[in-house]
Every structure is written in C-alpha cells, then in structure tokens.
Coordinates of all heavy atoms in Angstrom, one line a residue:
M989 N 94.4 -8.4 30.5 CA 93.7 -8.5 29.3 C 94.7 -8.7 28.1 O 95.7 -8.1 28.1 CB 92.8 -7.3 29.1 CG 92.0 -7.2 27.8 SD 90.4 -8.1 27.8 CE 89.6 -7.7 29.2
D990 N 94.4 -9.5 27.2 CA 95.2 -9.9 26.1 C 95.1 -8.7 25.0 O 94.2 -8.7 24.2 CB 94.7 -11.2 25.5 CG 95.6 -11.8 24.4 OD1 96.3 -11.0 23.8 OD2 95.6 -13.0 24.2
E991 N 96.1 -7.8 25.1 CA 96.0 -6.6 24.2 C 96.0 -6.9 22.7 O 95.3 -6.3 22.0 CB 97.1 -5.7 24.6 CG 97.1 -5.2 26.0 CD 95.9 -4.4 26.4 OE1 95.4 -3.7 25.5 OE2 95.4 -4.5 27.5
R992 N 96.8 -7.9 22.3 CA 96.9 -8.2 20.9 C 95.6 -8.8 20.4 O 95.1 -8.5 19.3 CB 98.0 -9.2 20.6 CG 99.4 -8.7 20.7 CD 100.5 -9.7 20.4 NE 100.1 -11.0 20.3 CZ 100.3 -11.8 19.3 NH1 100.9 -11.4 18.2 NH2 99.9 -13.1 19.3
L993 N 94.9 -9.6 21.2 CA 93.6 -10.2 20.8 C 92.6 -9.2 20.8 O 91.7 -9.1 19.9 CB 93.3 -11.4 21.8 CG 92.3 -12.4 21.3 CD1 92.7 -13.0 20.0 CD2 92.0 -13.4 22.4
V994 N 92.6 -8.2 21.8 CA 91.6 -7.1 21.8 C 91.8 -6.3 20.5 O 90.8 -5.9 19.9 CB 91.8 -6.2 23.1 CG1 91.0 -5.0 22.9 CG2 91.4 -7.0 24.3
A995 N 93.0 -6.0 20.1 CA 93.3 -5.2 18.9 C 92.8 -5.9 17.7 O 92.2 -5.3 16.8 CB 94.8 -4.9 18.8
A996 N 93.0 -7.3 17.6 CA 92.5 -8.1 16.5 C 90.9 -8.0 16.4 O 90.4 -7.9 15.3 CB 93.0 -9.5 16.6
V997 N 90.3 -8.1 17.6 CA 88.8 -8.1 17.6 C 88.3 -6.7 17.1 O 87.4 -6.6 16.3 CB 88.3 -8.4 19.0 CG1 86.8 -8.1 19.2 CG2 88.6 -9.9 19.4
N998 N 88.9 -5.7 17.7 CA 88.5 -4.3 17.3 C 88.7 -4.1 15.8 O 87.9 -3.4 15.2 CB 89.2 -3.3 18.2 CG 88.7 -3.3 19.6 OD1 87.6 -3.6 19.8 ND2 89.6 -2.9 20.5
E999 N 89.8 -4.5 15.3 CA 90.1 -4.4 13.8 C 89.0 -5.1 13.0 O 88.5 -4.6 12.0 CB 91.5 -4.9 13.5 CG 91.8 -4.7 12.0 CD 93.1 -5.3 11.6 OE1 94.0 -5.6 12.6 OE2 93.4 -5.5 10.4
A1000 N 88.7 -6.3 13.4 CA 87.7 -7.1 12.7 C 86.3 -6.4 12.7 O 85.6 -6.4 11.7 CB 87.6 -8.5 13.3
V1001 N 86.0 -5.8 13.8 CA 84.7 -5.1 13.9 C 84.7 -3.9 13.0 O 83.7 -3.6 12.3 CB 84.4 -4.7 15.4 CG1 83.2 -3.8 15.5 CG2 84.2 -5.9 16.3
Q1002 N 85.8 -3.1 13.1 CA 85.8 -1.9 12.3 C 85.9 -2.1 10.8 O 85.2 -1.5 10.0 CB 87.1 -1.1 12.7 CG 87.0 -0.5 14.0 CD 88.4 0.2 14.4 OE1 89.4 0.0 13.8 NE2 88.3 0.9 15.6
K1003 N 86.6 -3.2 10.4 CA 86.7 -3.5 8.9 C 85.6 -4.3 8.4 O 85.5 -4.5 7.2 CB 88.1 -4.1 8.7 CG 89.2 -3.2 8.9 CD 90.5 -3.8 8.4 CE 91.6 -2.8 8.6 NZ 92.9 -3.3 8.1
K1004 N 84.8 -4.8 9.3 CA 83.6 -5.7 8.9 C 84.1 -6.8 8.0 O 83.5 -7.0 6.9 CB 82.5 -4.9 8.3 CG 81.9 -3.9 9.3 CD 80.8 -3.1 8.7 CE 80.3 -2.1 9.7 NZ 79.2 -1.3 9.1
K1005 N 85.1 -7.6 8.4 CA 85.6 -8.6 7.6 C 85.3 -10.0 8.1 O 85.2 -10.2 9.3 CB 87.0 -8.4 7.3 CG 88.0 -8.5 8.5 CD 89.4 -8.3 8.1 CE 90.3 -8.5 9.2 NZ 91.7 -8.4 8.8
F1006 N 85.1 -10.9 7.2 CA 84.9 -12.3 7.6 C 86.3 -12.9 8.0 O 87.2 -12.6 7.3 CB 84.3 -13.2 6.5 CG 82.8 -13.0 6.3 CD1 82.3 -12.0 5.6 CD2 82.0 -13.9 7.0 CE1 80.9 -11.9 5.5 CE2 80.6 -13.8 6.8 CZ 80.1 -12.8 6.1
L1007 N 86.3 -13.6 9.1 CA 87.6 -14.3 9.5 C 87.3 -15.5 10.3 O 86.1 -15.7 10.7 CB 88.5 -13.3 10.3 CG 87.9 -12.4 11.4 CD1 87.7 -13.2 12.6 CD2 88.7 -11.3 11.6
K1008 N 88.3 -16.3 10.5 CA 88.2 -17.5 11.2 C 88.3 -17.2 12.7 O 89.2 -16.5 13.2 CB 89.3 -18.5 10.8 CG 89.1 -19.9 11.5 CD 90.3 -20.8 11.2 CE 90.4 -21.1 9.7 NZ 91.4 -22.1 9.3
I1009 N 87.3 -17.7 13.5 CA 87.3 -17.4 14.9 C 87.3 -18.8 15.6 O 86.4 -19.7 15.3 CB 86.0 -16.7 15.3 CG1 86.0 -15.3 14.7 CG2 86.0 -16.5 16.9 CD1 84.8 -14.5 14.9
Q1010 N 88.2 -19.0 16.5 CA 88.3 -20.3 17.2 C 88.1 -20.0 18.7 O 88.6 -19.0 19.2 CB 89.7 -20.9 17.0 CG 90.0 -21.4 15.6 CD 91.4 -21.9 15.5 OE1 92.3 -21.6 16.2 NE2 91.5 -22.9 14.5
Y1011 N 87.2 -20.8 19.3 CA 86.9 -20.5 20.7 C 86.5 -21.9 21.4 O 86.3 -22.9 20.8 CB 85.8 -19.5 20.8 CG 84.5 -20.0 20.2 CD1 83.5 -20.6 21.0 CD2 84.2 -19.9 18.9 CE1 82.3 -21.0 20.5 CE2 83.0 -20.3 18.3 CZ 82.0 -20.8 19.1 OH 80.9 -21.3 18.6
R1012 N 86.5 -21.8 22.7 CA 86.1 -22.9 23.6 C 84.7 -22.7 24.0 O 84.3 -21.6 24.4 CB 87.0 -23.0 24.8 CG 88.4 -23.5 24.6 CD 89.2 -23.5 25.9 NE 89.3 -22.2 26.5 CZ 88.7 -21.7 27.6 NH1 87.9 -22.4 28.2 NH2 88.9 -20.5 28.0
T1013 N 83.9 -23.7 24.0 CA 82.6 -23.6 24.6 C 82.6 -23.9 26.1 O 83.6 -24.3 26.6 CB 81.6 -24.6 23.9 OG1 82.0 -26.0 24.3 CG2 81.6 -24.5 22.4
E1014 N 81.4 -23.7 26.7 CA 81.3 -24.0 28.1 C 81.6 -25.5 28.4 O 81.9 -25.9 29.5 CB 80.0 -23.6 28.7 CG 79.9 -22.0 28.6 CD 78.5 -21.6 29.1 OE1 77.6 -22.4 29.4 OE2 78.3 -20.4 29.1
L1015 N 81.4 -26.3 27.4 CA 81.6 -27.8 27.5 C 83.1 -28.2 27.2 O 83.4 -29.3 27.0 CB 80.7 -28.6 26.6 CG 79.2 -28.4 27.0 CD1 78.3 -29.1 25.9 CD2 78.9 -28.9 28.3
H1016 N 83.9 -27.1 27.0 CA 85.4 -27.3 26.7 C 85.6 -27.9 25.3 O 86.6 -28.6 25.1 CB 86.1 -28.1 27.7 CG 86.0 -27.5 29.1 ND1 86.7 -26.3 29.4 CD2 85.2 -27.8 30.2 CE1 86.4 -26.0 30.7 NE2 85.5 -26.8 31.1
E1017 N 84.7 -27.7 24.4 CA 84.8 -28.1 23.0 C 85.6 -26.9 22.3 O 85.4 -25.8 22.6 CB 83.5 -28.2 22.3 CG 82.6 -29.3 22.9 CD 81.2 -29.1 22.4 OE1 80.6 -28.1 22.5 OE2 80.7 -30.1 21.9
Y1018 N 86.4 -27.3 21.3 CA 87.1 -26.3 20.5 C 86.3 -26.2 19.2 O 86.1 -27.1 18.5 CB 88.5 -26.6 20.2 CG 89.4 -26.4 21.4 CD1 89.7 -27.4 22.2 CD2 90.0 -25.1 21.6 CE1 90.5 -27.2 23.3 CE2 90.8 -24.9 22.7 CZ 91.1 -26.0 23.5 OH 91.9 -25.8 24.6
L1019 N 85.8 -25.0 18.9 CA 85.0 -24.8 17.7 C 85.6 -23.7 16.8 O 86.3 -22.8 17.3 CB 83.6 -24.3 18.0 CG 82.7 -25.3 18.8 CD1 81.3 -24.8 19.0 CD2 82.6 -26.7 18.1
T1020 N 85.5 -23.9 15.5 CA 86.0 -22.9 14.5 C 84.8 -22.5 13.6 O 84.1 -23.3 13.1 CB 87.1 -23.5 13.7 OG1 88.2 -23.9 14.5 CG2 87.7 -22.5 12.7
V1021 N 84.6 -21.2 13.5 CA 83.6 -20.6 12.6 C 84.3 -19.6 11.8 O 85.2 -18.9 12.2 CB 82.4 -20.0 13.4 CG1 81.7 -21.1 14.1 CG2 82.8 -18.9 14.3
T1022 N 83.8 -19.4 10.6 CA 84.2 -18.3 9.7 C 83.0 -17.3 9.6 O 82.0 -17.7 9.0 CB 84.6 -18.8 8.3 OG1 85.7 -19.7 8.5 CG2 85.1 -17.6 7.5
T1023 N 83.1 -16.2 10.2 CA 82.0 -15.2 10.3 C 82.5 -13.8 10.6 O 83.8 -13.6 10.6 CB 81.0 -15.7 11.4 OG1 79.9 -14.9 11.4 CG2 81.7 -15.6 12.8
M1024 N 81.6 -12.9 10.8 CA 82.0 -11.5 11.1 C 81.6 -11.3 12.6 O 80.6 -11.8 13.1 CB 81.3 -10.5 10.3 CG 81.8 -10.4 8.9 SD 81.3 -9.0 7.9 CE 79.5 -8.9 8.2
I1025 N 82.3 -10.4 13.2 CA 81.9 -9.9 14.6 C 81.0 -8.7 14.4 O 81.4 -7.7 13.8 CB 83.1 -9.6 15.4 CG1 84.1 -10.8 15.5 CG2 82.7 -9.1 16.8 CD1 85.4 -10.5 16.2
K1026 N 79.8 -8.8 14.9 CA 78.8 -7.7 14.8 C 79.2 -6.6 15.8 O 79.2 -5.4 15.4 CB 77.4 -8.2 15.0 CG 76.4 -7.2 14.9 CD 75.0 -7.9 15.0 CE 73.9 -6.9 14.9 NZ 72.6 -7.6 15.1
K1027 N 79.4 -6.9 17.0 CA 79.7 -5.9 18.0 C 80.4 -6.6 19.2 O 80.3 -7.8 19.4 CB 78.5 -5.1 18.5 CG 77.4 -5.9 19.2 CD 76.3 -5.1 19.5 CE 75.1 -5.9 20.1 NZ 74.0 -5.1 20.5
V1028 N 81.0 -5.7 20.0 CA 81.7 -6.2 21.3 C 81.1 -5.3 22.4 O 81.0 -4.1 22.2 CB 83.2 -6.0 21.2 CG1 83.9 -6.4 22.5 CG2 83.8 -6.7 20.0
E1029 N 80.7 -5.9 23.4 CA 80.1 -5.2 24.6 C 80.4 -5.9 25.9 O 80.7 -7.1 25.9 CB 78.6 -5.0 24.4 CG 77.8 -6.2 24.3 CD 76.3 -5.9 24.0 OE1 75.9 -4.8 23.9 OE2 75.6 -6.9 23.7
E1030 N 80.2 -5.2 26.9 CA 80.4 -5.8 28.3 C 79.0 -6.2 28.8 O 78.1 -5.4 28.8 CB 81.0 -4.8 29.2 CG 81.5 -5.5 30.5 CD 82.4 -4.6 31.3 OE1 83.2 -3.9 30.7 OE2 82.3 -4.6 32.5
K1031 N 78.9 -7.5 29.1 CA 77.7 -8.0 29.7 C 78.0 -8.7 31.0 O 78.9 -9.6 31.0 CB 77.0 -9.0 28.8 CG 76.3 -8.4 27.6 CD 75.6 -9.5 26.8 CE 74.8 -8.8 25.7 NZ 74.0 -9.8 25.0
D1032 N 77.3 -8.4 32.1 CA 77.5 -9.0 33.4 C 79.0 -9.0 33.8 O 79.5 -9.9 34.3 CB 77.0 -10.4 33.4 CG 75.5 -10.5 33.1 OD1 74.8 -9.6 33.5 OD2 75.1 -11.4 32.4
G1033 N 79.7 -7.9 33.4 CA 81.1 -7.7 33.8 C 82.1 -8.5 33.0 O 83.3 -8.5 33.3
A1034 N 81.6 -9.1 31.9 CA 82.5 -9.8 31.0 C 82.4 -9.3 29.5 O 81.3 -9.0 29.1 CB 82.1 -11.3 31.0
L1035 N 83.5 -9.2 28.9 CA 83.6 -8.7 27.5 C 83.0 -9.8 26.6 O 83.4 -11.0 26.7 CB 85.0 -8.4 27.1 CG 85.3 -7.6 25.9 CD1 84.6 -6.2 26.0 CD2 86.7 -7.4 25.7
T1036 N 82.0 -9.5 25.8 CA 81.3 -10.5 25.0 C 81.3 -10.0 23.5 O 81.0 -8.9 23.2 CB 79.8 -10.6 25.5 OG1 79.9 -10.9 26.9 CG2 79.1 -11.7 24.7
L1037 N 81.5 -11.0 22.6 CA 81.4 -10.7 21.2 C 80.1 -11.2 20.7 O 79.7 -12.4 21.0 CB 82.5 -11.5 20.4 CG 84.0 -11.0 20.5 CD1 84.5 -11.1 21.9 CD2 84.8 -11.7 19.5
E1038 N 79.4 -10.4 19.9 CA 78.2 -10.9 19.2 C 78.6 -11.1 17.7 O 79.0 -10.2 17.1 CB 77.1 -9.9 19.3 CG 75.8 -10.5 18.7 CD 74.6 -9.5 18.8 OE1 74.6 -8.6 19.6 OE2 73.7 -9.7 18.0
L1039 N 78.4 -12.3 17.2 CA 78.7 -12.6 15.9 C 77.5 -12.3 15.0 O 76.4 -12.2 15.5 CB 79.0 -14.1 15.7 CG 80.2 -14.6 16.7 CD1 80.4 -16.1 16.4 CD2 81.4 -13.8 16.5
V1040 N 77.6 -12.1 13.7 CA 76.5 -11.8 12.8 C 75.5 -12.9 12.8 O 74.3 -12.7 12.5 CB 77.0 -11.5 11.4 CG1 77.8 -10.2 11.3 CG2 77.7 -12.6 10.7
T1041 N 75.8 -14.1 13.3 CA 74.8 -15.2 13.4 C 73.9 -15.1 14.6 O 73.0 -15.8 14.7 CB 75.6 -16.5 13.5 OG1 76.4 -16.5 14.6 CG2 76.4 -16.8 12.2
G1042 N 74.3 -14.1 15.5 CA 73.5 -13.9 16.7 C 74.1 -14.6 17.9 O 73.7 -14.4 19.0
Q1043 N 75.1 -15.5 17.6 CA 75.8 -16.2 18.7 C 76.7 -15.2 19.5 O 77.3 -14.3 18.9 CB 76.6 -17.3 18.0 CG 77.4 -18.1 19.0 CD 78.2 -19.2 18.3 OE1 78.2 -19.3 17.1 NE2 78.8 -20.1 19.0
E1044 N 76.7 -15.5 20.8 CA 77.6 -14.7 21.7 C 78.7 -15.6 22.2 O 78.5 -16.7 22.6 CB 76.8 -14.1 22.8 CG 75.8 -13.1 22.4 CD 75.0 -12.5 23.5 OE1 75.1 -12.9 24.7 OE2 74.3 -11.5 23.2
V1045 N 79.9 -15.0 22.2 CA 81.1 -15.7 22.7 C 81.8 -14.8 23.7 O 82.1 -13.6 23.4 CB 82.1 -16.0 21.5 CG1 83.4 -16.6 22.0 CG2 81.4 -16.8 20.4
L1046 N 82.1 -15.3 24.8 CA 82.8 -14.5 25.8 C 84.3 -14.4 25.4 O 84.9 -15.3 24.8 CB 82.8 -15.3 27.2 CG 81.5 -15.4 27.9 CD1 81.6 -16.2 29.1 CD2 80.9 -14.0 28.2
F1047 N 84.8 -13.2 25.6 CA 86.2 -12.9 25.3 C 87.2 -13.9 25.9 O 88.1 -14.4 25.2 CB 86.6 -11.5 25.7 CG 88.0 -11.1 25.2 CD1 88.2 -10.6 23.9 CD2 89.1 -11.2 26.1 CE1 89.5 -10.3 23.5 CE2 90.3 -10.9 25.6 CZ 90.5 -10.4 24.3
D1048 N 86.9 -14.4 27.1 CA 87.8 -15.3 27.8 C 87.8 -16.7 27.1 O 88.6 -17.5 27.4 CB 87.4 -15.5 29.2 CG 87.7 -14.2 30.0 OD1 88.5 -13.4 29.6 OD2 87.1 -14.0 31.1
Q1049 N 86.8 -17.0 26.3 CA 86.7 -18.3 25.6 C 87.4 -18.3 24.2 O 87.6 -19.3 23.6 CB 85.2 -18.6 25.3 CG 84.4 -18.9 26.6 CD 83.0 -19.1 26.3 OE1 82.4 -18.4 25.6 NE2 82.4 -20.2 26.9
L1050 N 87.9 -17.1 23.8 CA 88.6 -17.0 22.5 C 89.9 -17.7 22.5 O 90.7 -17.6 23.5 CB 88.8 -15.6 22.1 CG 87.5 -14.8 21.7 CD1 87.9 -13.3 21.4 CD2 86.8 -15.4 20.5
V1051 N 90.2 -18.4 21.4 CA 91.4 -19.1 21.3 C 92.2 -18.4 20.2 O 93.4 -18.1 20.4 CB 91.2 -20.6 20.8 CG1 92.6 -21.2 20.5 CG2 90.5 -21.4 21.9
K1052 N 91.6 -18.0 19.1 CA 92.3 -17.4 18.0 C 91.3 -16.6 17.1 O 90.2 -17.0 16.9 CB 93.0 -18.4 17.1 CG 94.0 -18.0 16.2 CD 94.7 -19.2 15.6 CE 95.8 -18.7 14.6 NZ 96.5 -19.8 14.0
I1053 N 91.7 -15.4 16.8 CA 91.0 -14.5 15.8 C 91.8 -14.3 14.6 O 92.9 -13.7 14.7 CB 90.6 -13.1 16.5 CG1 89.7 -13.3 17.7 CG2 90.0 -12.2 15.4 CD1 88.3 -13.6 17.4
G1054 N 91.4 -14.8 13.5 CA 92.3 -14.7 12.3 C 93.6 -15.4 12.6 O 93.7 -16.6 12.9
D1055 N 94.7 -14.6 12.5 CA 96.0 -15.2 12.7 C 96.6 -14.8 14.1 O 97.7 -15.2 14.5 CB 97.0 -14.6 11.7 CG 96.7 -15.1 10.3 OD1 96.3 -16.3 10.2 OD2 97.0 -14.4 9.3
V1056 N 95.7 -14.2 14.9 CA 96.2 -13.8 16.3 C 95.6 -14.7 17.3 O 94.4 -14.8 17.5 CB 95.7 -12.3 16.6 CG1 96.2 -11.9 18.0 CG2 96.2 -11.4 15.5
A1057 N 96.6 -15.4 18.0 CA 96.2 -16.4 19.1 C 96.2 -15.7 20.4 O 96.9 -14.7 20.7 CB 97.1 -17.5 19.1
S1058 N 95.4 -16.2 21.3 CA 95.3 -15.7 22.7 C 96.6 -16.0 23.4 O 97.3 -16.9 23.0 CB 94.2 -16.5 23.4 OG 94.3 -16.3 24.8
D1059 N 97.0 -15.1 24.3 CA 98.2 -15.3 25.1 C 98.2 -16.6 25.9 O 99.2 -17.1 26.3 CB 98.4 -14.2 26.1 CG 98.8 -12.9 25.4 OD1 99.3 -12.9 24.3 OD2 98.7 -11.8 26.1
S1060 N 97.0 -17.2 26.0 CA 96.9 -18.5 26.8 C 97.4 -19.7 26.0 O 97.5 -20.8 26.5 CB 95.5 -18.7 27.2 OG 94.9 -17.7 27.9
Y1061 N 97.7 -19.5 24.7 CA 98.2 -20.5 23.8 C 99.5 -20.1 23.2 O 99.8 -18.9 23.0 CB 97.1 -20.8 22.7 CG 95.8 -21.2 23.3 CD1 94.9 -20.3 23.7 CD2 95.5 -22.5 23.5 CE1 93.6 -20.6 24.2 CE2 94.3 -22.9 24.0 CZ 93.4 -22.0 24.4 OH 92.2 -22.4 25.0
N1062 N 100.3 -21.1 22.8 CA 101.5 -20.8 22.1 C 101.4 -21.3 20.6 O 100.5 -22.1 20.3 CB 102.8 -21.3 22.8 CG 102.8 -22.8 22.9 OD1 102.6 -23.5 21.9 ND2 103.1 -23.3 24.1
S1063 N 102.4 -21.0 19.8 CA 102.3 -21.3 18.4 C 102.3 -22.9 18.2 O 101.8 -23.3 17.2 CB 103.5 -20.7 17.6 OG 104.7 -21.2 18.1
R1064 N 102.9 -23.6 19.1 CA 102.9 -25.1 19.0 C 101.5 -25.7 19.1 O 101.2 -26.8 18.7 CB 103.9 -25.7 20.0 CG 105.3 -25.4 19.6 CD 106.3 -26.2 20.5 NE 106.0 -27.7 20.6 CZ 106.4 -28.6 19.7 NH1 107.0 -28.2 18.7 NH2 106.1 -29.8 19.9
D1065 N 100.6 -24.9 19.8 CA 99.2 -25.4 19.9 C 98.5 -25.5 18.6 O 97.5 -26.1 18.5 CB 98.4 -24.5 20.9 CG 98.9 -24.6 22.3 OD1 99.4 -25.7 22.7 OD2 98.9 -23.6 23.0
F1066 N 99.1 -24.8 17.5 CA 98.4 -24.7 16.2 C 99.1 -25.4 15.2 O 99.0 -25.2 14.0 CB 98.2 -23.3 15.9 CG 97.4 -22.5 16.9 CD1 98.0 -21.7 17.9 CD2 96.0 -22.7 17.0 CE1 97.3 -21.1 18.8 CE2 95.3 -22.1 18.0 CZ 95.9 -21.2 18.9
T1067 N 100.0 -26.4 15.5 CA 100.8 -27.1 14.5 C 100.3 -28.6 14.6 O 99.8 -29.0 15.7 CB 102.3 -27.1 14.8 OG1 102.6 -27.6 16.1 CG2 102.8 -25.6 14.6
C1068 N 100.6 -29.3 13.6 CA 100.3 -30.8 13.6 C 101.6 -31.5 13.3 O 102.3 -31.3 12.3 CB 99.2 -31.0 12.5 SG 98.8 -32.8 12.4
D1069 N 101.9 -32.5 14.1 CA 103.1 -33.3 13.9 C 102.7 -34.6 13.2 O 103.1 -35.7 13.6 CB 103.7 -33.6 15.3 CG 104.4 -32.4 15.9 OD1 104.7 -31.5 15.1 OD2 104.5 -32.4 17.1
C1070 N 101.8 -34.6 12.3 CA 101.3 -35.7 11.6 C 102.3 -36.3 10.6 O 103.1 -35.7 10.0 CB 100.1 -35.4 10.7 SG 98.8 -34.6 11.7

C-alpha cells in the first residue's frame, strides 16, 4: 500500500479541504477534479474514496492527491517538455 498517498488522503478527509485529485477511470482515462473527499471506506475488499459529489474512486486508480503522487508514477510523469 502506498503509505504517502494514504496519509495524504487521510489528511484531506480530516481537514475537509478542497484539493486536486487525479485518477484513472476504468476506461484508462486520466481525469482531474478539484473537490473534497467525503469519506474513505473498504468496499468489496478495495479501499474506496467517496467524493462530496457522490462519485466513488478506487484507491488503486489514484494518480495524485494534491501534491502527493502515487508510487506508481515518478515526478517526470507530471512535467511537460513543451
């Protein structure tokens, strides 16, 4: 489990703050939303985030919470060589 990402999610829930959440959908799309995380719970054996919009995101689909990226990505994934 990605400990830094878990800590960032828990901090966001406790502080009830709006932040940028980047995640992959089941169709492998990368989406970015600015919202709050309402709660985190385990559903069907998977950690799930419920956003204040009612949308649910699996923890495994998270790319970045605020400034904390998933261990599955490195800092070069978030730069642009334009």
Side-chain angles (χ1 to χ4, degrees):
M989 180 82 46
D990 188 336
E991 299 298 326
R992 289 179 349 122
L993 200 58
V994 169
V997 167
N998 288 331
E999 179 183 346
V1001 172
Q1002 290 173 351
K1003 292 186 177 182
K1004 297 181 180 180
K1005 64 180 183 179
F1006 278 87
L1007 46 80
K1008 187 184 298 186
I1009 299 173
Q1010 295 177 329
Y1011 64 97
R1012 288 179 294 108
T1013 68
E1014 292 177 0
L1015 299 174
H1016 302 286
E1017 302 166 301
Y1018 284 93
L1019 298 180
T1020 301
V1021 294
T1022 302
T1023 189
M1024 287 192 316
I1025 301 171
K1026 184 176 180 180
K1027 64 182 174 179
V1028 179
E1029 61 186 353
E1030 192 167 322
K1031 286 188 175 182
D1032 300 323
L1035 199 57
T1036 305
L1037 286 65
E1038 182 181 341
L1039 307 180
V1040 294
T1041 59
Q1043 182 178 5
E1044 294 183 349
V1045 178
L1046 294 175
F1047 185 82
D1048 292 341
Q1049 293 175 314
L1050 290 176
V1051 174
K1052 195 172 183 184
I1053 297 284
D1055 293 327
V1056 179
S1058 167
D1059 285 343
S1060 302
Y1061 300 87
N1062 65 47
S1063 61
R1064 290 189 49 84
D1065 292 329
F1066 303 102
T1067 60
C1068 178
D1069 292 332
C1070 304

